[in-house]
Amino acid sequence: MFFRAFILQHEDLSQVIFYALIITSLWLAECLIGAIKPKAKLAHTFLNASFIFTALPLQLLLTIFIILIMNWANANHWGLIYYIPYHSNKWVYYISLFVLLDLGEYVYHVIMHKIDVLWKFHLVHHSDLKVDVSTTVREHPGETCIRTCFLMLWVFLLGPGIVVLMIRQVFQTFFNILAHTEFRLPHKLHMVVGAVFITPNLHHVHHHHELPYTDCNYGDVLSIWDRLFGTYQELSENETHFGIDTHPDPAVNARFVNILKIPFQKLERK
Ligand SMILES: [Zn+2]
Ligand SMILES: [Zn+2]
């Protein structure tokens, strides 16, 4: 009872504690039985964690605009959700918005890969030569702005309420953390879970250093869009090499300042 009341009263704090517990548990498990040696892992984690300090203020600031747009859409009954049959039924409302917001994230991810000026920001996430739970937060501040602006657009087009946005946020963060862990799911479990959801096995393929694998498995929470739009790929653990073929230099990829400069340099597509 006390635990439930605490969660309801401190929703934001509960989310932070929830994510911190998952990230810390996975990180410790990776340290104990993962492939990356502890000393290299510490340096790698420290570098990727630096991106939290650039993302957090931007995210907090831009979230104000998301809430303003959402409040306007809700007050004016604006958005595609009002054209969905039976949208007043809460199951139809929540499931439709969850699925449509996920489609929005899929479209956003494809756009980030296909337009050169945007890809230069997104490739910072792909430039990690080791993928582990800390890779989740490796995002150029430019991409933090672009991603949040796209979310503003989806909120404006769809008109979701605050509860569905928060539920989606919890699922999205949980699946993003899991997708980047060093540990792949056992094959049979992956076949079941991966039929609907993005698994580490699928997202690791997205982090393979070469095309066509980089341009596959764009899904955020659901894997159904990749199956539907022909971007679904599998690749075994032994064949998967992390990083990006245009930026293979560990000296560049391991320095925060060098990474921040990547989007402003000339792009060499392979
Ligand atoms: Zn990507
Ligand atoms: Zn990733």
Side-chain angles (χ1 to χ4, degrees):
M1 194 68 185
F2 169 78
F3 186 62
R4 189 168 176 270
F6 178 86
I7 286 181
L8 289 174
Q9 279 174 24
H10 305 279
E11 205 277 334
D12 282 354
L13 182 63
S14 309
Q15 272 197 48
V16 172
I17 294 171
F18 173 66
Y19 301 140
L21 278 175
I22 295 176
I23 289 176
T24 310
S25 314
L26 284 171
W27 190 85
L28 286 172
E30 286 175 348
C31 274
L32 291 171
I33 48 174
I36 308 171
K37 296 274 179 289
K39 198 177 165 197
K41 192 167 185 72
L42 265 180
H44 179 248
T45 303
F46 186 74
L47 171 71
N48 283 343
S50 310
F51 288 92
I52 295 175
F53 297 102
T54 54
L56 212 57
L58 288 168
Q59 187 84 50
L60 288 173
L61 176 71
L62 294 171
T63 300
I64 295 170
F65 293 98
I66 294 174
I67 292 170
L68 287 174
I69 295 168
M70 183 197 67
N71 286 345
W72 178 87
N74 290 173
N76 292 283
H77 290 86
W78 169 273
L80 275 177
I81 187 61
Y82 298 101
Y83 295 91
I84 303 273
Y86 307 108
H87 67 267
S88 51
N89 176 294
K90 72 174 181 183
W91 286 102
V92 174
Y93 177 84
Y94 281 101
I95 292 171
S96 304
L97 279 169
F98 188 93
V99 170
L100 288 169
L101 283 165
D102 200 70
L103 174 61
E105 290 298 328
Y106 174 89
V107 172
Y108 159 75
H109 200 169
V110 174
I111 291 172
M112 293 304 285
H113 274 246
K114 298 297 179 189
I115 297 178
D116 282 359
V117 68
L118 299 180
W119 166 243
K120 288 204 278 184
F121 286 96
H122 182 61
L123 80 79
V124 165
H125 178 67
H126 282 265
S127 67
D128 207 349
L129 299 172
K130 304 180 187 86
V131 168
D132 70 2
V133 74
S134 73
T135 309
T136 314
V137 294
R138 185 183 173 110
E139 181 182 72
H140 193 282
E143 179 169 7
T144 306
C145 293
I146 299 163
R147 179 172 52 75
T148 318
C149 287
F150 266 92
L151 182 57
M152 286 178 206
L153 179 64
W154 305 141
V155 168
F156 176 72
L157 291 176
L158 299 172
I162 185 75
V163 177
V164 70
L165 268 185
M166 282 168 60
I167 292 172
R168 161 123 199 112
Q169 177 68 43
V170 171
F171 271 86
Q172 189 178 21
T173 310
F174 179 73
F175 273 90
N176 282 343
I177 294 167
L178 279 190
H180 291 99
T181 179
E182 274 187 60
F183 307 123
R184 287 191 171 213
L185 297 182
H187 184 67
K188 280 185 181 164
L189 184 58
H190 157 68
M191 293 305 282
V192 175
V193 179
V196 180
F197 298 105
I198 287 293
T199 63
N201 311 39
L202 290 176
H203 196 66
H204 282 191
V205 182
H206 183 70
H207 276 273
H208 182 66
H209 69 134
E210 281 179 332
L211 288 169
Y213 295 99
T214 319
D215 284 0
C216 72
N217 301 355
Y218 291 110
D220 193 36
V221 174
L222 302 173
S223 64
I224 54 172
W225 311 117
D226 287 297
R227 293 174 188 279
L228 206 62
F229 300 123
T231 52
Y232 183 91
Q233 288 273 8
E234 302 249 4
L235 192 66
S236 73
E237 191 169 2
N238 292 338
E239 293 169 295
T240 306
H241 301 287
F242 297 132
I244 201 75
D245 54 3
T246 54
H247 294 72
D249 187 352
V252 174
N253 291 320
R255 286 206 59 211
F256 186 65
V257 175
N258 289 346
I259 298 169
L260 286 180
K261 289 179 191 165
I262 288 177
F264 310 103
Q265 294 162 347
K266 196 168 178 292
L267 180 70
E268 289 172 36
R269 283 275 198 187
K270 283 201 176 173

